[in-house]
Amino acid sequence: MRRVQAGNALSAFGLGFTVPYLYIYVAQVRDLGATTAGAVLAVFAMAALAVLPFTGRVIDRRGPLPVLMGAALLAAVGAVGMGLSGSVPAAVASAAVLGAGTAVMQPALATLIVWSSAPSARTRAFAMQFFLQNLGLGIGGLIGGQLVDVNRPASFTLLFGIEAVMFLVLAVTAATVRVPRPTAIPGVLPKDAGAGGGMRTLLSHKAMVRLLVLGFVVFFACYGQFESGLSAYATEAAGIEPATLGIALAANTAVIVLAQFVVLRLVERRRRSRVIALVGLIWAFAWVVAGYAGLGHGSQTMATAALISTYALFGLGESMLSPTMAPLVADLAPSSMAGQYNSAFALVKQLALAVGPAVGGPMAAALHGPYILTFVLFSLGITVLALRLGGRLTPVQDRPALASVSRVVAQHLPVPENVPQPGTADAPSVPEPVPAVR
């Protein structure tokens, strides 16, 4: 598990070097224009949507390790190609390869964590993954920002080269890992899932379908707005300087890094559905605070503080989601379909990240009040969907701590001293069981 988490952190560190600067690199450094830069970002996202529907079945058939290694090698090739791209076809092709590789790594890593951890440890394992990803992205972006120079294309080539090396390190790390098949939580495999495996089985699993719908709303209402709608609203409605957005994103990352394990202690023994429902309320309040930043009549200082607080509140909600949603996907999945369940969840995330900016960006720039109201309602929708999902979960799926508590009680139940023990002379005889009549 430590090797898996280390490789995960290094790959996030590599992505942090380049993702924030991809648009600038294509449009300005390579002088390919804003249209080409937009096409590159679109291809990067579309490549993920193209490969994820097929990824899960390959993971379940071949195992997550070879898939992770292949995806890391593919991403390394895409990173090198992007660093050397000087034409539109080269940039688009490299973006497709890089996007496909990084997309496949997500469900492969998630399945590998499932295989490497006991059910009782998955909450902490996924929380650690999320923590290391954000830490890696934050540090990578910080260091990358000090190295890049728009007037020196070689500085960007260096960044993409570092990113490729990080992917190769992940592939080598994965090659050294030996993991057993996953351990399922006893008695909590889906009762409403069809037989035979495949997409039909997943879609017949009502709890998983509800989780996928919930996941789409979560990613649409938060992550899908960070780089488009919320940024546009901040600059257009609140009059925030673009440089301040960097401070707000830093506040978001800082809250995640500082609060993750404090929050983990508070939520790991509580019902997952209620924790997710609370996230919806926190995010609804965050959008209200954002509304004050752009629609209120306070000073510019108050508007700036409100916007930074919005990003920080989103970070608090993210730190609560990381130990709940991803482990829940793992606990809902039959052991033979962990890859397909993780891939379906990753696909829903990519869809939300594609639709979110397309809807939120234009709306935030022109319709400030309706934009805030819309996402307040979406956040409240998270609360409603989470509570409804709780009705479809078994007690152990909703609160995995119950499984470990029941085992401890069974193993350490005290025996009264005045009760004769089996096998002793004073022990009462036990009659043979009478077969039931059917």
Side-chain angles (χ1 to χ4, degrees):
M1 177 60 76
R2 290 179 180 176
R3 295 179 186 180
V4 174
Q5 297 287 26
N8 167 60
L10 289 174
S11 63
F13 178 73
L15 281 171
F17 265 96
T18 60
V19 170
Y21 314 108
L22 190 57
Y23 183 91
I24 296 174
Y25 171 71
V26 175
Q28 300 179 16
V29 177
R30 291 300 182 183
D31 198 24
L32 298 178
T35 302
T36 301
V40 164
L41 292 174
V43 167
F44 187 87
M46 292 303 295
L49 296 177
V51 298
L52 282 173
F54 311 100
T55 301
R57 190 172 288 273
V58 177
I59 292 174
D60 290 330
R61 288 180 176 179
R62 303 294 182 184
L65 282 174
V67 175
L68 178 59
M69 292 169 60
L73 293 174
L74 189 66
V77 171
V80 171
M82 185 62 69
L84 300 175
S85 295
S87 64
V88 173
V92 171
S94 298
V97 174
L98 181 60
T102 54
V104 172
M105 283 193 293
Q106 295 179 40
L109 269 169
T111 307
L112 189 56
I113 290 174
V114 173
W115 282 33
S116 303
S117 60
S120 59
R122 283 176 191 160
T123 297
R124 286 187 170 271
F126 279 101
M128 177 63 75
Q129 181 199 29
F130 186 72
F131 169 80
L132 291 175
Q133 279 182 339
N134 280 276
L135 186 63
L137 286 169
I139 295 176
L142 182 63
I143 297 177
Q146 304 303 312
L147 296 178
V148 295
D149 185 347
V150 176
N151 298 316
R152 288 193 308 113
S155 65
F156 285 84
T157 303
L158 174 63
L159 291 192
F160 284 105
I162 294 173
E163 181 183 36
V165 170
M166 293 298 102
F167 289 138
L168 293 176
V169 170
L170 174 60
V172 172
T173 303
T176 66
V177 175
R178 297 292 181 267
V179 293
R181 277 280 177 176
T183 303
I185 296 180
V188 296
L189 289 180
K191 296 179 179 179
D192 51 356
M199 190 58 65
R200 181 177 298 178
T201 298
L202 191 151
L203 293 179
S204 67
H205 188 179
K206 295 179 182 179
M208 184 60 188
V209 171
R210 291 197 177 194
L211 180 59
L212 292 177
V213 173
L214 173 61
F216 180 88
V217 177
V218 164
F219 292 116
F220 177 77
C222 175
Y223 299 91
Q225 303 307 312
F226 268 5
E227 297 177 1
S228 58
L230 193 54
S231 299
Y233 172 84
T235 54
E236 296 289 339
I240 303 298
E241 293 294 329
T244 306
L245 292 176
I247 299 175
L249 286 170
N252 173 267
T253 302
V255 169
I256 292 172
V257 171
L258 296 175
Q260 183 63 84
F261 294 103
V262 175
V263 168
L264 178 61
R265 290 186 176 185
L266 298 176
V267 306
E268 64 180 344
R269 292 192 173 275
R270 286 169 172 78
R271 294 183 182 180
R272 288 166 167 169
S273 59
R274 293 187 179 180
V275 171
I276 300 171
L278 179 58
V279 171
L281 296 178
I282 292 173
W283 284 358
F285 178 67
W287 282 109
V288 170
V289 174
Y292 169 79
L295 305 175
H297 300 288
S299 64
Q300 189 61 44
T301 300
M302 292 296 293
T304 301
L307 184 77
I308 294 174
S309 298
T310 298
Y311 277 83
L313 287 168
F314 277 127
L316 177 61
E318 291 174 72
S319 66
M320 296 170 66
L321 285 176
S322 62
T324 51
M325 293 195 74
L328 182 54
V329 174
D331 290 345
L332 286 173
S335 59
S336 61
M337 294 183 62
Q340 293 178 70
Y341 274 55
N342 282 313
S343 294
F345 193 72
L347 177 61
V348 164
K349 177 180 178 180
Q350 289 296 329
L351 283 171
L353 294 180
V355 175
V359 174
M363 192 176 184
L367 303 171
H368 303 152
Y371 174 72
I372 294 297
L373 178 61
T374 296
F375 285 96
V376 168
L377 294 177
F378 266 102
S379 299
L380 295 175
I382 292 173
T383 300
V384 174
L385 290 171
L387 294 176
R388 290 176 62 85
L389 172 64
R392 284 283 177 182
L393 302 177
T394 67
V396 177
Q397 285 172 337
D398 204 11
R399 189 187 295 179
L402 292 176
S404 59
V405 170
S406 63
R407 286 195 296 269
V408 170
V409 171
Q411 291 171 3
H412 299 283
L413 186 65
V415 179
E417 295 180 358
N418 59 345
V419 177
Q421 297 302 302
T424 64
D426 296 328
S429 59
V430 180
E432 293 293 329
V434 178
V437 178
R438 296 185 180 276

